[in-house]
Amino acid sequence: MPRVLLVDDSPTDITNLRKMLEKNGFEVLEALTGEAAIEKAASEKPDVIVMDVVMPGMNGFQATRTLSRGAETASIPIVVISSKSQETDKLWAMRQGAREYIVKPVKESELISKVNGVING
């Protein structure tokens, strides 16, 4: 069962995303902030990280950059979720280390397709 580290500070969003992922056979680990995601990714070694980039503290782009360049976490693919649909935001996420980008509202089929895509390389 593939393991997903889900990073989102919204209880509603994290619940909805968790349901979509679990329904499709993923084990879900949770982190509420970018700092917690970095620690959990290093210790738990998930197959993929799904991260909402709008969060307090270390913002999602900072956490994405740190995770994608960290010695213990650089090999873990990251899927970024954002409410921003501009191409420049997507490019910024990719430059920070994201492998995929999803614009809210998140559609289950798109989430599962992109998560499977980065896991399968």
Side-chain angles (χ1 to χ4, degrees):
M1 176 180 298
R3 295 173 0 124
V4 176
L5 175 57
L6 183 55
V7 187
D8 199 319
D9 67 329
S10 164
T12 301
D13 288 347
I14 207 164
T15 299
N16 290 337
L17 293 168
R18 175 185 270 285
K19 285 178 185 176
M20 288 181 211
L21 291 162
E22 287 178 342
K23 175 180 162 188
N24 286 277
F26 294 95
E27 177 185 345
V28 178
L29 311 167
E30 292 181 9
L32 299 179
T33 66
E35 293 92 343
I38 292 164
E39 291 174 24
K40 196 162 233 178
S43 66
E44 297 286 337
K45 304 287 192 254
D47 296 297
V48 64
I49 299 167
V50 174
M51 178 178 293
D52 188 331
V53 297
V54 180
M55 58 184 63
M58 176 185 285
N59 76 39
F61 286 130
Q62 290 172 318
T64 300
R65 181 176 54 247
T66 301
L67 286 162
S68 69
R69 297 177 183 160
E72 297 179 342
T73 56
S75 64
I76 304 169
I78 301 169
V79 176
V80 165
I81 297 173
S82 177
S83 59
K84 298 178 180 180
S85 61
Q86 297 160 330
E87 191 64 24
T88 53
D89 293 307
K90 179 180 178 180
L91 290 172
W92 180 250
M94 299 307 195
R95 285 187 185 129
Q96 301 312 308
R99 296 214 190 139
E100 285 291 350
Y101 190 84
I102 299 172
V103 177
K104 290 180 183 180
V106 177
K107 296 177 187 83
E108 183 175 336
S109 60
E110 181 180 21
L111 174 66
I112 301 309
S113 173
K114 290 193 177 199
V115 168
N116 279 325
V118 297
I119 288 173
N120 296 323

